[in-house]
Amino acid sequence: MIEDGTAPRVVLYGRAGCHLCDEARAVVVRACARAGARWAEVDVDAPDPAGRDLRALMGELVPVVEVDGVRQGYWQIDEERVVRALVRGVRTS
């Protein structure tokens, strides 16, 4: 959640020390800047507030990027695919 209580449209799941996660972060930053969308990063190795075992769910796939809860890619993230997903599912609130 962002300070104003809204959920980010893009979530990057990754882990510390992951060079692919660093590359994916740069892609997400650019894509979200282009589309004017908010994003958040979740460490799959940290305890999840919702109680999910993120390490088991996506540990070998990181980085994983979701837009509006739909997986858009893993390992190598395609910036254009993320932007298309953001434009296709534009939120009004």
Side-chain angles (χ1 to χ4, degrees):
M1 292 277 229
I2 309 286
E3 293 84 33
D4 67 5
T6 61
R9 296 206 46 215
V10 179
V11 178
L12 166 62
Y13 294 93
R15 62 172 35 105
C18 168
H19 74 282
L20 289 176
C21 299
D22 295 338
E23 293 171 14
R25 186 179 308 105
V27 169
V28 167
V29 167
R30 287 192 307 269
C32 288
R34 288 174 56 191
R38 294 178 179 190
W39 71 281
E41 187 167 354
V42 175
D43 183 341
V44 299
D45 296 321
D48 180 63
R52 301 172 296 173
D53 184 352
L54 295 176
R55 185 181 303 159
L57 290 171
M58 33 184 108
E60 296 301 316
L61 298 178
V62 295
V64 175
V65 172
E66 293 182 353
V67 175
D68 298 329
V70 177
R71 185 173 295 171
Q72 297 301 316
Y74 55 92
W75 296 332
Q76 299 286 328
I77 307 303
D78 182 318
E79 182 175 342
E80 294 306 317
R81 181 176 179 163
V82 174
V83 170
R84 282 193 306 271
L86 285 165
V87 170
R88 198 171 44 240
V90 173
R91 283 192 196 167
T92 57
S93 57

